[in-house]
Amino acid sequence: MHCSFCASNITKALERQQGVLSVNVSLAHEEVLVEFDPSKVEGWQLDETLRSLGYTVRDPDKVRSFEEEEKELRGARNRLLGSATLTFTALGIMSLYWLGVARPMPTWMRVGMIALALSNVFGFGFPILEMAYHSLRRLILNQHVLMELAAFGGLIGGFIGLFVDKRFPAPDFFAISVFIVSYHLLGGYASLLVRTKSSQAVKRLLSLQPQTARVIRDGKEMTIPVQQVSKGDLVRVRPGEAIPVDGVVVEGVSAVDESIVTGEPIPQEKRVGHEVVGGSVNTNGSLVIRVTKVGSESFLQRVAEYIEEARAMKPGILQLLDRVLRFFVPGVILAAVAGFTAWSLGAWALTGAPNLQRAAFAALSVLVMGYPCALGMATPIAMIRGGGLAAERGILFRSSEAFHVLQSVDTVVFDKTGTIMVGRPSVVRVLPVEGVSQREVLALAASVEALSQHPLAKAVVEAAREQGIFLEQVNDFQEVSGAGVRAKLSGKPIFVGKLDFLQDMGVF
């Protein structure tokens, strides 16, 4: 589906089926929700209706793979590039003609323009022609029909200029056929590109969750797909691994990076009884987690559903757009007919001679300039893309209406500091005790922290290196999960960590 016209076409076709009670089309999902009476119409008949319009039917419960989406995108891009090649070739020929370099146009150029027009309309543009044909069969007027009327109008005008009336500028008419097909393919590719990239943004969010989990059953550890994990299962997570499920810690102590949830860059200490979220990262200690949520109940799945819901919901501005588009194509066609009539019958009534050349150009101008796909794509595609970009940055829109009203927001209230943090801690000041320099304190701390993977440790080490401080080799390094680190330097113990950790170590 390219734009709101496609959604409207599907709705009209399905609603004409006997037994169909309601139809809801999601342009973002490329999905249709149909409520129907199975005693009057069957599901396969609805599938056939969609296929007859030129669409491919797939199971909504089976998410398309990255490779499938990229293959579809690659096909659309290749058609666009091929069509664009023909368009630029036609533009080069027409430029020579318009500038007077090739006037009158040589025979080989005329033949070339015919070949370019036919190749674009019946070659790269054939999928559009097929969809226009199926739409007309069901008496549905849409952007495909409008494009083909303009394209075939150009072909007819060109052949009239070649074989019937030399006053018709055949090259110009053939050029119209070439250009309009490329424009349509460009609109379709832009729409597909935005929807594909937004869909992949959601999939990248879901990819934070590991595909397997190490489950403890009957005292034995086994690795199984995360889809087979059940509530109540015990799952072991080793240091450095992503947590595969939502649950509660029943064994172990560790620091867990929950930045995907809170935005806070500092790992949080997790002990027995603490909740953990699937997709967060276990930084150092080993944990055993009792599973509390699986499948659609898990945090990441709910986040993905929120994003999809926001992309699917139709705010007031889109509902207004749908009402406008319902009358747009018939209006354009009527305007084209009116233009042709005015310069043919109208001119004949006033002057005694119809101006068929002007009549043809007037009708074609309306069909080409009134091409509606940009209008139908602009608003929904902007919202789809906005939802995808927001997801990449960890911003969730619970409703598409938020896009529409955001311009009027003058005050924003944040519920946690992580929302507005850079996401990377850094050393701002070093406050040494009397008798010790800042450089000495930073050197000792960085030498120990160099062996830790904690974000605060990395910040300390980075600050020392920025000042050109040499880091010394330490011995007997030990990391106390959620508290700090300890090591020996030249036989002297050094402790770096939280205040209560330092108190426990007898520092003061």
Side-chain angles (χ1 to χ4, degrees):
M1 289 189 288
H2 294 166
C3 63
S4 294
F5 274 104
C6 297
S8 177
N9 298 338
I10 292 173
T11 301
K12 290 178 182 177
L14 291 176
E15 285 181 341
R16 291 175 182 175
Q17 293 285 332
Q18 185 179 10
V20 173
L21 304 177
S22 65
V23 180
N24 290 287
V25 182
S26 169
L27 176 63
H29 294 135
E30 292 187 293
E31 292 179 0
V32 184
L33 178 63
V34 183
E35 183 182 359
F36 63 94
D37 184 349
S39 65
K40 297 180 179 179
V41 64
E42 296 185 23
W44 66 268
Q45 293 175 299
L46 301 179
D47 290 346
E48 286 302 313
T49 299
L50 293 173
R51 291 190 179 96
S52 70
L53 290 173
Y55 295 102
T56 301
V57 180
R58 62 176 176 83
D59 186 349
D61 293 328
K62 296 180 180 179
V63 179
R64 291 194 303 167
S65 67
F66 178 86
E67 291 75 16
E68 290 175 325
E69 291 182 334
E70 286 297 314
K71 182 180 178 180
E72 182 182 7
L73 191 61
R74 190 163 51 249
R77 181 173 60 246
N78 291 340
R79 284 194 299 274
L80 174 61
L81 291 176
S83 179
T85 301
L86 299 184
T87 294
F88 282 112
T89 303
L91 181 60
I93 294 175
M94 293 305 299
S95 296
L96 294 176
Y97 176 70
W98 292 327
L99 293 173
V101 177
R103 187 185 293 268
M105 184 175 284
T107 302
W108 70 269
M109 282 191 176
R110 291 175 177 269
V111 173
M113 289 301 298
I114 296 173
L116 291 172
L118 293 176
S119 298
N120 222 19
V121 174
F122 295 100
F124 297 112
F126 183 77
I128 309 168
L129 179 61
E130 190 175 26
M131 296 185 77
Y133 168 72
H134 290 303
S135 297
L136 275 178
R137 278 181 55 203
R138 296 181 175 275
L139 302 178
I140 296 175
L141 299 178
N142 56 24
Q143 81 277 25
H144 305 304
V145 173
L146 192 59
M147 191 225 80
E148 293 299 342
L149 287 176
F152 275 89
L155 291 176
I156 293 171
F159 283 114
I160 290 176
L162 285 178
F163 303 110
V164 180
D165 189 345
K166 299 299 182 181
R167 291 176 300 174
F168 276 65
D172 297 83
F173 279 99
F174 287 129
I176 289 174
S177 298
V178 178
F179 297 157
I180 191 67
V181 172
S182 294
Y183 180 65
H184 191 99
L185 291 174
L186 175 62
Y189 175 71
S191 173
L192 179 63
L193 178 65
V194 168
R195 285 185 283 107
T196 299
K197 296 306 180 184
S198 297
S199 173
Q200 290 174 356
V202 177
K203 290 178 181 178
R204 282 194 293 272
L205 178 65
L206 293 176
S207 68
L208 295 173
Q209 184 178 36
Q211 298 300 308
T212 59
R214 193 176 294 104
V215 178
I216 304 173
R217 291 178 178 171
D218 300 326
K220 297 180 180 179
E221 289 188 14
M222 60 183 72
T223 301
I224 63 174
V226 71
Q227 293 85 357
Q228 297 179 12
V229 177
S230 304
K231 287 185 180 180
D233 279 343
L234 297 178
V235 175
R236 184 178 297 281
V237 184
R238 294 173 179 170
E241 293 181 343
I243 298 175
V245 291
D246 295 4
V248 177
V249 177
V250 296
E251 180 183 317
V253 178
S254 182
V256 176
D257 180 0
E258 294 183 325
S259 57
I260 65 165
V261 182
T262 64
E264 301 283 357
I266 310 302
Q268 302 298 307
E269 180 181 351
K270 297 295 180 180
R271 296 179 177 273
V272 174
H274 289 181
E275 292 185 352
V276 292
V277 174
S280 53
V281 179
N282 180 28
T283 60
N284 43 36
S286 178
L287 296 174
V288 176
I289 300 166
R290 185 178 301 280
V291 180
T292 58
K293 297 177 182 177
V294 295
S296 60
E297 296 179 352
S298 65
F299 172 78
L300 286 180
Q301 288 288 346
R302 284 187 286 117
V303 169
E305 288 175 5
Y306 292 155
I307 298 171
E308 295 290 348
E309 177 185 330
R311 291 166 58 196
M313 292 178 68
K314 185 172 290 187
I317 189 172
L318 280 188
Q319 295 174 16
L320 174 62
L321 178 63
D322 287 345
R323 289 195 293 270
V324 172
L325 293 179
R326 188 178 305 167
F327 305 101
F328 188 85
V329 173
V332 170
I333 294 175
L334 287 175
V337 172
F340 185 87
T341 303
W343 285 104
S344 57
L345 296 179
W348 175 76
L350 293 175
T351 65
N355 192 333
L356 295 179
Q357 182 182 358
R358 282 186 176 274
F361 268 117
L364 279 176
S365 298
V366 173
L367 293 175
V368 173
M369 298 307 295
Y371 178 72
C373 212
L375 175 63
M377 285 194 305
T379 302
I381 292 303
M383 291 186 173
I384 293 170
R385 184 55 175 161
L389 289 174
E392 292 177 358
R393 291 161 173 76
I395 303 171
L396 308 182
F397 283 90
R398 292 293 302 273
S399 169
S400 293
E401 192 70 33
F403 288 101
H404 183 50
V405 301
L406 191 59
Q407 61 178 338
S408 60
V409 172
D410 56 13
T411 303
V412 179
V413 179
F414 295 97
D415 65 338
K416 53 183 180 290
T417 57
T419 307
I420 54 177
M421 282 187 172
V422 174
R424 186 182 67 255
S426 61
V427 175
V428 179
R429 295 174 62 191
V430 178
L431 303 175
V433 296
E434 188 176 350
V436 183
S437 68
Q438 293 183 355
R439 192 175 181 87
E440 289 176 312
V441 172
L442 191 56
L444 290 174
S447 295
V448 179
E449 295 280 35
L451 300 179
S452 174
Q453 295 299 314
H454 197 283
L456 290 182
K458 294 179 181 179
V460 172
V461 173
E462 183 178 347
R465 287 174 176 167
E466 288 177 354
Q467 296 186 27
I469 296 176
F470 175 75
L471 304 185
E472 300 189 52
Q473 186 71 34
V474 299
N475 301 311
D476 299 334
F477 174 82
Q478 181 182 0
E479 188 161 5
V480 181
S481 180
V485 293
R486 58 191 299 176
K488 289 185 178 180
L489 178 61
S490 301
K492 297 181 179 179
I494 300 176
F495 305 96
V496 183
K498 294 181 178 179
L499 183 61
D500 53 358
F501 170 69
L502 300 180
Q503 290 175 335
D504 292 342
M505 295 297 103
V507 175
F508 56 87

